[in-house]
Amino acid sequence: MALVLVPGIGCGIYLAEYAPPRMQRLLNSLMDILSGVPSIVMGIFGFTLILFLHRLGFAGASSGLLLAGGCLALLVLPALVVTTRTALESLPASLRLSGAALGLRHGQVVRHLLLPQASRGILSGVMLALGRSAEDTAVILLTGVVANAGLPAGLGLRFEALPFFIYYTAAQYQTPEELQRGFGAALTLLALSGGLLLLAWWLHERFRRERQPGMTPLTFSGGPQ
């Protein structure tokens, strides 16, 4: 998420507010293609990247936490871009007209008017991307996760993750105790997902309460106000 937040939200803002029509069509097509890439293909891309870097002479390049995070960032990038763009494009035109009437530049309108009003939609995209990255196994399977590795001591080292532990236990368990640990890991992952859902709901309600008291709707119909 640290790798994808700024590029994803920034690309969504650019598509909604700044991109010319030709660039919009190009970037929208790229996002559509990227969103249709299966997660296993993204994992193969990361593994191939390591082989390519070794071929170029980077002997220290290896699979690890940073590579897995980068591939997961590419996997969830389209969801964040699309939700940010949709949240901005769905805002009423009166907000942009109000900003222009007050003499604000377009960048100021985006920063002070549009982004605060679109924050709930953008937050939904962040939670969607976070949930997708938390449950994916195929990408990390080929880019650094191994059984019984525990927490990594660095970004370039291999690691262990809950989705892979569930997958590995379901395929390789030998005793009922090992299967019970797999079920425990599954329940933990479900609890984390439920916690993220509750966090998203809490943030949504908090933003709604903060926005409502100070909002005064503008009307342009009829005579002078």
Side-chain angles (χ1 to χ4, degrees):
M1 295 306 297
L3 293 173
V4 77
L5 277 180
V6 173
I9 296 176
C11 184
I13 296 172
Y14 176 73
L15 278 174
E17 299 297 329
Y18 296 100
R22 185 175 180 181
M23 184 61 68
Q24 282 185 349
R25 291 192 297 269
L26 175 61
L27 290 178
N28 284 331
S29 299
L30 290 176
M31 289 299 109
D32 290 339
I33 293 172
L34 192 59
S35 63
V37 174
S39 57
I40 187 65
V41 175
M42 194 63 70
I44 294 173
F45 163 75
F47 184 73
T48 306
L49 179 63
I50 292 297
L51 298 179
F52 181 71
L53 291 175
H54 275 286
R55 192 71 182 268
L56 291 178
F58 295 94
S62 64
S63 56
L65 185 62
L66 183 61
L67 177 64
C71 291
L72 283 173
L74 287 176
L75 185 69
V76 303
L77 177 66
L80 193 53
V81 172
V82 171
T83 51
T84 302
R85 184 197 66 196
T86 304
L88 289 170
E89 290 178 347
S90 63
L91 295 175
S94 59
L95 284 175
R96 295 173 175 82
L97 293 174
S98 301
L102 292 171
L104 299 177
R105 296 190 299 272
H106 185 60
Q108 293 174 321
V109 172
V110 172
R111 179 181 177 183
H112 297 291
L113 294 180
L114 301 184
L115 283 179
Q117 294 300 320
S119 58
R120 285 182 288 180
I122 296 174
L123 179 63
S124 300
V126 171
M127 291 300 171
L128 180 64
L130 182 59
R132 175 74 189 276
S133 60
E135 57 83 22
D136 199 277
T137 307
V139 174
I140 61 177
L141 187 65
L142 296 168
T143 54
V145 69
V146 293
N148 302 318
L151 293 173
L155 293 176
L157 300 178
R158 298 194 172 193
F159 60 98
E160 189 174 14
L162 276 175
F164 178 77
F165 181 79
I166 297 168
Y167 168 81
Y168 179 80
T169 302
Q172 304 289 336
Y173 76 93
Q174 302 292 330
T175 64
E177 289 76 14
E178 292 181 357
L179 184 60
Q180 290 296 323
R181 284 197 295 271
F183 278 118
L187 288 174
T188 303
L189 189 58
L190 285 173
L192 289 174
S193 301
L196 290 174
L197 181 62
L198 290 175
L199 176 62
W201 174 83
W202 178 76
L203 290 173
H204 178 275
E205 291 298 314
R206 180 180 177 183
F207 285 150
R208 183 178 62 82
R209 288 194 299 266
E210 288 179 354
R211 298 277 181 254
Q212 281 183 344
M215 290 181 63
T216 55
L218 297 173
T219 58
F220 296 96
S221 59
Q225 301 296 319

